[in-house]
Amino acid sequence: MTTTLDDTGLPSRTLLPFLDREHTIARPGYSRWMVPPAALCVHLCIGQAYAFSVFNLPMTRLLGVSQSTAADWKLTDLGWIFSIAMVFLGLSAAVFGRWVEEGGPRKAMFTAGVCWASAFLISALGVHLHNLWIIYLGYGVIGGCALGIGYISPVSTLMKWFPDRPGMATGMAIMGFGGGALIASPLSVWLMGLFASSSDVGVLNSFITLGCVYFVFMMVGSLIVRVPAPGWKPEGYVPPANATKLMTKNDVFVYQAIKTPQFWLIWVVLFCNTTAGIGVLGQASAMSQEMFPGQITAVAAAGLVGLMSLFNMGGRFSWASLSDFIGRKNTYFVYMMLGFALYVTVPYAGASGNVVLFVACFVIIVSMYGGGFSTVPAYLRDMFGTRYVGAIHGILLTAWSAAGIAGPVLINYIREYNVSHGVPKAQAYNTTMYIMAGLLVVGFLANLCVKAVDKRHHMKPEDETDLEPARAQAAAAHAQVMPRRA
Amino acid sequence: MSTTMQTTKSEANTTPLQLALAWSFAGIPLLAGVAQTLVNAIKLFH
């Protein structure tokens, strides 16, 4: 029997000790600019989730191949795969957030990589056996957990490496999540074309290939990521002596943070911003064609969706970077006020037939939707410190899950209601736009109420000791039975 | 029972080549995806 000891001379707590946080501490000379590509390796892979819909239509022809048969799956049933994955994204980020924070980024990225590859391989099995429940389990549950763990895994590490530019750092990673779909969509279509034959739509082999490719990519990310040594600071970096009230130097424990009004106010801010953005993002193609019949064709609408994807991705980096200069609260004020103005302008653009104005409104809205995701980790860091920011961020992502339901429902049901009551299709979205603008007013007020966290919530030195009593006991016991290495 | 003592390996300074490789590994697929999307998006303006 072999007992592996870690570099402190204590028995390792895991089967794979190289994944532990203490084995990922950077040695002097490690460049912090290695961390963003490591984070991108993970986020670019899990961002595939946004492009999963490219498999939906081919998966309705798995048996019939050239056309659907009665035994083939229905689109409505297949839609649940993505929905389950999104629900498990939020749940796993909330549940495993503290484990991710304490276990370190390498362990989290490795776990996310294994889960993400497994999601595709299990789904391939589901396709092979033509059993949709296996795909719900594979891509929906296990893939959803990979999304949640992978999404939060590099966030706090990046902010520790870039204390001078935390918004820019998280923006780079979360930009990858937006960009993942840009790669996955054409790649998936190309793979299905490659593997398709007269008896196969090519989904099974595409899933296996994607699972293998994503596994390699995510393992590379997990191998090159490092955490900074305790007390490390960038060369020449001096923490601002007169930090604003909204930038704390203290840490708040994860379960204490969710007891603060600030956490829930930011939850509301993210929920409102995401609901507003997700509503138009998912319906942009249909909405543009119905608002501009004859002017925006199906092909042009697909181009608009592509353009919005680019702005979604670019907004994640640019808005979060801007927040380093104007502050997080002010950035969200911009999202809410500018968003309000743009949403109320969309009906005017539709009524006047101004396509350019319509497109400009949509791409800016969607850039702020992306920016909302990438700015929020730095906002949390400002409010609650860096110690548990990953775990707190994980719980906050439940706002995303909630918005994922609220946004499309608002858009679809209100449109249906309007159309069924005789409103012309070109004007059926007007009410929704005003409701979205109203949501942003709620978000604006919530953001306005965000104040500095009361110091009674801050962690005290004794709290640190309380957090790992088992580790402390193990260390003490080990010291008695085994002499430490010289 | 045998005991294996494990130490952290020394790591060399990050070289420009390592940085270039890491950024290329993540950046090239991303740029390819962006280029492909731009090509599709241009159809909006035709």
Side-chain angles (χ1 to χ4, degrees):
Chain A
M1 182 179 168
T2 301
T3 302
T4 305
L5 303 186
D6 65 19
D7 53 336
T8 63
L10 297 174
S12 176
R13 289 175 292 172
T14 59
L15 288 172
L16 300 168
F18 68 96
L19 298 176
D20 290 340
R21 174 181 281 277
E22 50 265 37
H23 288 93
T24 58
I25 296 173
R27 309 281 289 182
Y30 178 83
S31 169
R32 62 177 175 163
W33 290 99
M34 289 291 281
V35 183
L40 278 171
C41 282
V42 173
H43 273 238
L44 285 172
C45 293
I46 60 175
Q48 182 277 343
Y50 278 144
F52 188 80
S53 60
V54 298
F55 289 111
N56 283 351
L57 275 178
M59 284 169 73
T60 61
R61 294 185 279 107
L62 287 174
L63 300 177
V65 183
S66 58
Q67 59 183 12
S68 294
T69 64
D72 264 311
W73 295 328
K74 305 282 179 291
L75 262 182
T76 45
D77 298 329
L78 291 167
W80 280 103
I81 300 170
F82 180 76
S83 302
I84 294 170
M86 286 295 114
V87 168
F88 274 84
L89 182 159
L91 289 176
S92 59
V95 170
F96 296 114
R98 186 180 168 189
W99 173 80
V100 168
E101 196 64 64
E102 292 178 346
R106 181 177 288 168
K107 188 184 284 183
M109 288 178 176
F110 179 86
T111 306
V114 170
C115 288
W116 195 231
S118 304
F120 280 94
L121 298 181
I122 293 169
S123 298
L125 180 69
V127 169
H128 178 66
L129 301 175
H130 204 255
N131 186 327
L132 192 54
W133 288 98
I134 295 178
I135 301 182
Y136 287 158
L137 171 72
Y139 195 93
V141 178
I142 298 172
C145 290
L147 290 172
I149 295 170
Y151 190 89
I152 60 174
S153 60
V155 169
S156 71
T157 303
L158 279 164
M159 285 193 284
K160 284 166 191 159
W161 276 114
F162 292 87
D164 45 342
R165 301 287 300 279
M168 180 207 71
T170 54
M172 272 190 280
I174 294 173
M175 173 187 75
F177 195 79
L182 305 186
I183 301 169
S185 186
L187 177 64
S188 303
V189 171
W190 180 75
L191 283 174
M192 282 191 284
L194 189 70
F195 293 122
S197 65
S198 56
S199 59
D200 184 6
V201 290
V203 172
L204 189 150
N205 287 322
S206 299
F207 276 174
I208 294 172
T209 308
L210 285 175
C212 296
V213 169
Y214 285 143
F215 181 77
V216 171
F217 248 79
M218 293 171 83
M219 288 305 111
V220 169
S222 76
L223 286 174
I224 61 178
V225 75
R226 298 284 187 281
V227 294
W232 177 88
K233 284 177 196 154
E235 203 174 314
Y237 171 68
V238 180
N242 299 319
T244 65
K245 283 182 183 176
L246 288 177
M247 285 182 69
T248 185
K249 289 179 180 173
N250 298 287
D251 294 315
V252 180
F253 183 54
V254 53
Y255 300 128
Q256 192 64 32
I258 59 175
K259 294 176 186 169
T260 63
Q262 287 82 359
F263 175 85
W264 293 106
L265 287 167
I266 296 174
W267 194 98
V268 171
V269 170
L270 183 65
F271 172 79
C272 292
N273 191 57
T274 307
T275 302
I278 225 169
V280 296
L281 194 62
Q283 306 298 327
S285 175
M287 201 189 301
S288 59
Q289 290 176 72
E290 289 185 352
M291 289 181 80
F292 298 93
Q295 284 180 278
I296 296 186
T297 61
V299 175
L304 172 64
V305 173
L307 198 63
M308 288 172 70
S309 303
L310 288 175
F311 273 81
N312 178 13
M313 187 187 83
R316 289 168 191 248
F317 179 71
S318 52
W319 285 110
S321 300
L322 178 70
S323 76
D324 287 332
F325 298 100
I326 67 170
R328 255 53 81 171
K329 190 171 177 175
N330 289 336
T331 306
Y332 275 96
F333 278 141
V334 173
Y335 296 158
M336 301 301 158
M337 290 191 293
L338 184 56
F340 177 87
L342 293 170
Y343 274 105
V344 298
T345 303
V346 168
Y348 168 75
S352 59
N354 193 333
V355 177
V356 174
L357 182 62
F358 174 83
V359 171
C361 287
F362 263 38
V363 295
I364 298 171
I365 284 171
V366 88
S367 79
M368 294 191 294
Y369 161 79
F373 283 120
S374 56
T375 312
V376 85
Y379 204 173
L380 294 173
R381 176 246 195 201
D382 291 351
M383 304 302 299
F384 303 110
T386 52
R387 179 77 173 83
Y388 280 97
V389 68
I392 298 167
H393 182 218
I395 299 174
L396 192 85
L397 290 183
T398 50
W400 184 4
S401 297
I405 298 166
V409 166
L410 272 175
I411 286 266
N412 290 332
Y413 281 87
I414 294 171
R415 177 197 170 278
E416 286 300 314
Y417 179 85
N418 282 338
V419 170
S420 65
H421 285 76
V423 177
K425 280 187 177 177
Q427 297 165 22
Y429 294 99
N430 292 1
T431 314
T432 316
M433 293 298 109
Y434 295 131
I435 290 175
M436 297 299 181
L439 262 178
L440 294 182
V441 173
V442 175
F444 179 90
L445 294 174
N447 193 44
L448 190 66
C449 294
V450 174
K451 310 286 181 203
V453 174
D454 192 291
K455 61 183 177 185
R456 69 190 160 90
H457 295 294
H458 295 161
M459 286 176 76
K460 298 170 185 64
E462 58 266 30
D463 294 337
E464 291 280 355
T465 315
D466 292 343
L467 288 174
E468 290 200 354
R471 182 69 172 161
Q473 284 172 7
H478 188 73
Q480 287 177 348
V481 298
M482 187 173 285
R484 298 291 297 271
R485 273 158 48 97
Chain B
M1 184 176 91
S2 67
T3 301
T4 306
M5 306 297 283
Q6 191 174 351
T7 57
T8 306
K9 290 177 185 173
S10 294
E11 293 170 53
N13 285 0
T14 306
T15 64
L17 179 65
Q18 285 174 313
L19 272 174
L21 284 174
W23 277 98
S24 303
F25 191 72
I28 289 173
L30 179 61
L31 286 177
V34 168
Q36 181 69 44
T37 309
L38 267 176
V39 168
N40 292 334
I42 286 170
K43 291 168 188 165
L44 174 66
F45 303 102
H46 285 171

